[in-house]
Amino acid sequence: MTSFRTVRLLPLLLLSISIPSFSVEKPNVIIFLADDLGYGDVGFHGSDIQTPNIDRLAREGSQLEDFYSCPVCTPTRAGLMTGRYPIRYGLMRAVIPPQRNYGLDTSEETMADVFAKAGYQHRGIFGKWHLGHWRKRWLPTSRGFTQFIGHHNGAIDYFTHIRNGEPDWHRDHRPFVQDGYATDLTGQEARAFIEGIPKNEPYFLYVPFNAPHSPLQAKESDLAKYPHREGRPRIHAAMVDSMDQAIGTILEAAEQRGDLDDTFVLFFSDNGGVNNVASNGELKGAKASVYQGGIRVAAAAMWKNGGIVGGKRIRERMGYIDILPTVRSIIGVTDSPKNPLDGIDVLDAMRGRTKLEDRHW
């Protein structure tokens, strides 16, 4: 006969087996942001461009099929960093051009600030900032990041790192001379950041690539992979391929560190692709438009020990403003944000465990 005590304990045991808690204490977080990548420019959307590392995130994690950004890049970066619509602080309508005396409002709390409050000592950004550079208070290491190597503006020369006749490559607050193709350097420095962190200490890594944004410049070794393409689409393909290689070297560093499974990894594009260069698949419109081709972007996430696994195709509408609220949930931040957030926590939706209510965007 089954005892009364066994009968009472059995449902609790079954509950603990069937519903995983997905609790990972202080997970690492890596966010990859492409620039001007088309919805149809990745392998998991049928492209001939070789993107095995981006595809891996979709295959082993979740493919985010209804993910939205802004039509151009500065607004997306601002909303990603704040969880708030950039129209609230004057960054909705355009990018920040070189030598402009404004930037992301310093009254806004950034994602890096949130990680700092959560006790993360290692908060790195490698690549394109594009949220203000005229004054020191707008630079990445004044906005919560502990390390930065990259460029303040967009559209730098990939080989010389020059924009508008001036070098634009920096380490933290200072100009930095470094030879190499910009996408390669971004991957190389992000990898070094991971390798320099003690294994028992978590980190936040933000990798906003310039690729495949213009100027259209690629290495010969990457161009050689796409002889069937011509002109600008061929260069574009080579640039996307190079970005994927950089993502691969960063993921490899996380794997060799031994805790990739404990790392939340997100990839998406800041806006849709450029007409006659990129492919937005069957979506209407392109970059700088509010048609689907301008704002619905290729995206994928993976967090194996956090339940984002199995190659699910997630069709819940989510986007750039939701990442900060979701990250707050992932790293266990429960206090009220400095400013009210427009985004929501979409972690369970990324896991495929819940439906999201329709929202006005």
Side-chain angles (χ1 to χ4, degrees):
M1 175 182 286
T2 304
S3 71
F4 177 71
R5 182 172 183 272
T6 303
V7 170
R8 294 187 62 187
L9 288 177
L10 185 57
L12 295 177
L13 178 60
L14 291 174
L15 184 63
S16 68
I17 293 172
S18 61
I19 304 178
S21 65
F22 303 128
S23 61
V24 179
E25 186 178 357
K26 298 291 185 185
N28 308 311
V29 172
I30 301 175
I31 297 177
F32 296 116
L33 186 65
D35 198 326
D36 289 5
L37 181 76
Y39 184 84
D41 282 334
V42 290
F44 66 84
H45 283 162
S47 178
D48 65 309
I49 303 174
Q50 298 175 35
T51 57
N53 297 294
I54 299 170
D55 296 345
R56 175 189 178 184
L57 301 179
R59 184 180 66 254
E60 298 182 13
S62 288
Q63 186 172 322
L64 308 178
E65 284 295 283
D66 208 21
F67 193 100
Y68 288 84
S69 295
C70 291
V72 291
C73 50
T74 288
T76 294
R77 285 164 169 72
L80 169 65
M81 284 292 105
T82 63
R84 289 159 47 82
Y85 286 123
I87 201 168
R88 295 192 182 279
Y89 39 83
L91 292 181
M92 185 66 211
R93 301 302 182 191
V95 303
I96 299 177
Q99 306 304 333
R100 295 303 197 275
N101 190 8
Y102 66 96
L104 177 62
D105 194 319
T106 54
S107 68
E108 294 293 327
E109 183 177 56
T110 70
M111 186 178 293
D113 292 331
V114 173
F115 275 93
K117 289 198 307 184
Y120 283 68
Q121 300 299 310
H122 310 281
R123 307 181 298 279
I125 169 175
F126 302 91
K128 171 183 172 180
W129 176 235
H130 223 191
L131 288 175
H133 57 276
W134 182 264
R135 299 184 187 278
K136 187 176 180 180
R137 66 174 178 264
W138 293 317
L139 298 180
T141 47
S142 297
R143 304 310 306 267
F145 289 96
T146 58
Q147 293 183 48
F148 167 62
I149 292 179
H151 45 110
H152 297 150
N153 295 285
I156 65 163
D157 186 291
Y158 282 81
F159 294 99
T160 67
H161 314 151
I162 288 175
R163 173 72 197 267
N164 283 23
E166 297 182 355
D168 184 3
W169 199 257
H170 303 265
R171 171 185 281 166
D172 299 334
H173 288 316
R174 300 181 182 278
F176 180 44
V177 177
Q178 193 175 26
D179 294 330
Y181 186 69
T183 306
D184 291 346
L185 294 177
T186 298
Q188 168 189 312
E189 295 300 334
R191 177 177 187 132
F193 169 79
I194 293 174
E195 292 174 340
I197 299 171
K199 291 187 177 181
N200 61 338
E201 297 181 16
Y203 61 84
F204 167 44
L205 173 59
Y206 174 40
V207 189
F209 290 98
N210 196 58
H213 193 290
S214 60
L216 295 178
Q217 299 171 319
K219 297 175 295 181
E220 290 297 329
S221 58
D222 294 323
L223 286 168
K225 300 178 184 179
Y226 301 96
H228 57 288
R229 286 180 170 232
E230 297 180 351
R232 297 191 299 170
R234 183 186 183 195
I235 302 171
H236 174 81
M239 295 172 75
V240 174
D241 191 313
S242 178
M243 177 181 66
D244 185 82
Q245 294 172 50
I247 289 172
T249 197
I250 295 166
L251 293 177
E252 182 181 53
E255 254 178 336
Q256 290 178 351
R257 192 173 185 263
D259 57 2
L260 179 59
D261 288 356
D262 290 333
T263 302
F264 171 77
V265 184
L266 174 69
F267 169 87
F268 70 103
S269 181
D270 63 351
N271 46 250
V274 176
N275 263 334
N276 301 317
V277 176
S279 169
N280 291 311
E282 297 180 356
L283 303 182
K284 179 180 179 179
K287 176 183 177 176
S289 82
V290 291
Y291 289 117
Q292 293 278 300
I295 58 176
R296 185 176 167 194
V297 298
M302 182 177 76
W303 185 21
K304 293 189 176 180
N305 286 348
I308 304 178
V309 291
K312 303 179 188 74
R313 299 186 72 182
I314 307 300
R315 301 186 185 278
E316 303 302 306
R317 184 186 302 162
M318 60 184 71
Y320 72 115
I321 56 168
D322 298 324
I323 304 311
L324 179 56
T326 302
V327 163
R328 285 171 57 91
S329 173
I330 287 169
I331 64 177
V333 175
T334 57
D335 65 341
S336 297
K338 181 178 179 181
N339 299 308
L341 301 180
D342 293 308
I344 62 172
D345 176 5
V346 297
L347 179 57
D348 270 351
M350 288 182 175
R351 290 167 170 158
R353 296 178 65 199
T354 190
K355 299 289 186 180
L356 298 176
E357 293 184 6
D358 195 19
R359 292 177 282 164
H360 293 293
W361 279 73

